[in-house]
Amino acid sequence: EAPFGYVVEHVKPERSRNPREAYRRYWWRHGEPRIAMRAALEGLPRYLVTSEVAKHRTFVWLKSAILPDKRLIVIARADDTTFGILHSRFHELWSLRLGATLEDRPCYRPSTCFETFPFPDGLTPADTKHGTETLDSGPIVPVVAPEVADHARAIAEAAHRLNTLRENWLNPPEWIERIPEVVPGYPDRIIAKPGHEGDLKKRTLTNLYNHPPAWLTNAHRA
């Protein structure tokens, strides 16, 4: 009962003064559900997120069973091709130029960084919204026109390799155990093996990109 008591004592008084009726009436909830976002994610096995404020502009996959934090920018795409385009040097420079900054950290703004970005012909979000291949086929490639299919697959394969290399560095198989979650559909829990707890804590994307190894640089170049 203690956590609920804490919410009653500390959250309810603040919410009772909130100008938004939904926040006052449903004071125990985190906020309002993002209906449009959930509709866009419906049917996708995974989706892309990037931190609103970050030293390095990286994108990662989240499973559809996970709801994102408010500080994450959500991109309702499941294909590796889009992942690769967003990780390109072109998009990085575009987002740095058209985004904002918080102190010395770049801020990603969907309206200026994503919606204005000149995607390759035939690979715009409007072109790639019609579905994907299954996860079992390896890199997920969007359904696109035949004349751009080879380009889409090449980008997807390079992006798939980048993600695989990065995930293996973040969670080395010899350091971890994967414990299946009780609720079906949720990702496995990653537990450090004895003796590797401290090592695993250092394996973060920020630390990786602060001193990028050759394999990471080569994967991005590809």
Side-chain angles (χ1 to χ4, degrees), residues 2-145:
F4 294 96
Y6 183 92
V7 173
V8 171
E9 180 180 356
H10 295 280
V11 176
K12 187 176 182 180
E14 177 68 25
R15 282 292 183 88
S16 66
R17 299 190 296 269
N18 196 288
R20 302 186 70 171
E21 181 183 359
Y23 284 14
R24 295 195 307 270
R25 177 178 297 181
Y26 304 107
W27 56 266
W28 62 89
R29 296 180 181 175
H30 285 292
E32 299 175 28
R34 300 302 186 253
I35 304 300
M37 181 197 72
R38 295 192 185 191
L41 296 178
E42 187 175 359
L44 296 180
R46 61 182 184 176
Y47 60 93
L48 282 167
V49 297
T50 187
S51 178
E52 181 182 10
V53 181
K55 180 179 180 181
H56 306 289
R57 183 51 51 202
T58 58
F59 295 81
V60 299
W61 294 110
L62 286 185
K63 286 196 172 184
S64 57
I66 301 173
L67 283 177
D69 178 81
K70 67 175 183 177
R71 293 297 185 185
L72 293 178
I73 304 299
V74 173
I75 298 170
R77 286 292 180 275
D79 60 281
D80 286 298
T81 301
T82 299
F83 178 91
I85 293 172
L86 294 178
H87 258 303
S88 68
R89 182 63 172 160
F90 302 108
H91 183 258
E92 181 183 12
L93 292 173
W94 187 271
S95 63
L96 286 173
R97 176 63 180 84
L98 296 182
T101 56
L102 178 63
E103 299 172 346
D104 60 343
R105 292 168 296 168
C107 298
Y108 194 86
R109 296 283 184 262
S111 58
T112 58
C113 300
F114 181 84
E115 294 176 10
T116 65
F117 181 67
F119 281 79
D121 290 342
L123 295 176
T124 71
D127 297 321
T128 60
K129 68 180 181 181
H130 303 296
T132 62
E133 297 179 358
T134 64
L135 280 169
D136 295 333
S137 63
I140 298 182
V141 182
V143 178
V144 294

Side-chain angles (χ1 to χ4, degrees), residues 182-193:
V182 175
V183 181
Y186 283 80
D188 296 339
R189 283 183 287 167
I190 297 176
I191 308 297
K193 292 181 179 179

